[in-house]
Amino acid sequence: MRRIGNCFEAVVEPENLQLAFWKASQGKRHRPEQRAFAENLSAELAQMRAGLLAGDYPVGNYTLFTRSTTRRNAKSAQRRFPNGCCTMR
């Protein structure tokens, strides 16, 4: 994976955070945690953005999982939302 620098400002744009939320919630929209987050989406994303800009937003734990393919790979996924309603892969 290549690293691209100086893109933090683009990441914390409200439109980008909203798009990330909807992408992360695909297939999980029936979960109560996700519905509660979505009902108050603008306030939740504003709080998330403020925390990211201040540098004190809580980041969730990594979850280790193994995919069964022709070769065994251990992957990790990080929780992006503090209440665990969505995870990014």
Side-chain angles (χ1 to χ4, degrees):
M1 178 166 47
R2 275 193 331 208
R3 185 172 186 268
I4 300 173
N6 301 325
C7 63
F8 184 73
E9 291 81 18
V11 170
V12 296
E13 287 294 322
E15 297 84 18
N16 190 40
L17 291 175
Q18 187 172 16
L19 178 63
F21 169 75
W22 290 116
K23 284 185 175 183
S25 66
Q26 286 181 345
K28 302 171 189 87
R29 294 188 179 148
H30 66 281
R31 295 183 183 177
E33 301 89 10
Q34 192 278 339
R35 275 193 257 150
F37 195 92
E39 285 176 5
N40 199 14
L41 185 61
S42 60
E44 294 281 359
L45 291 181
Q47 180 183 4
M48 181 185 297
R49 184 172 193 270
L52 287 169
L53 290 172
D56 60 359
Y57 187 75
V59 179
N61 297 328
Y62 283 89
T63 303
L64 188 65
F65 61 94
T66 304
R67 291 189 344 194
S68 295
T69 60
T70 54
R71 52 190 179 142
R72 309 265 312 163
N73 294 335
K75 303 286 183 180
S76 63
Q78 184 180 18
R79 286 192 162 175
R80 301 292 185 194
F81 300 101
N83 61 359
C85 69
C86 300
T87 55
M88 298 288 288
R89 289 189 214 179

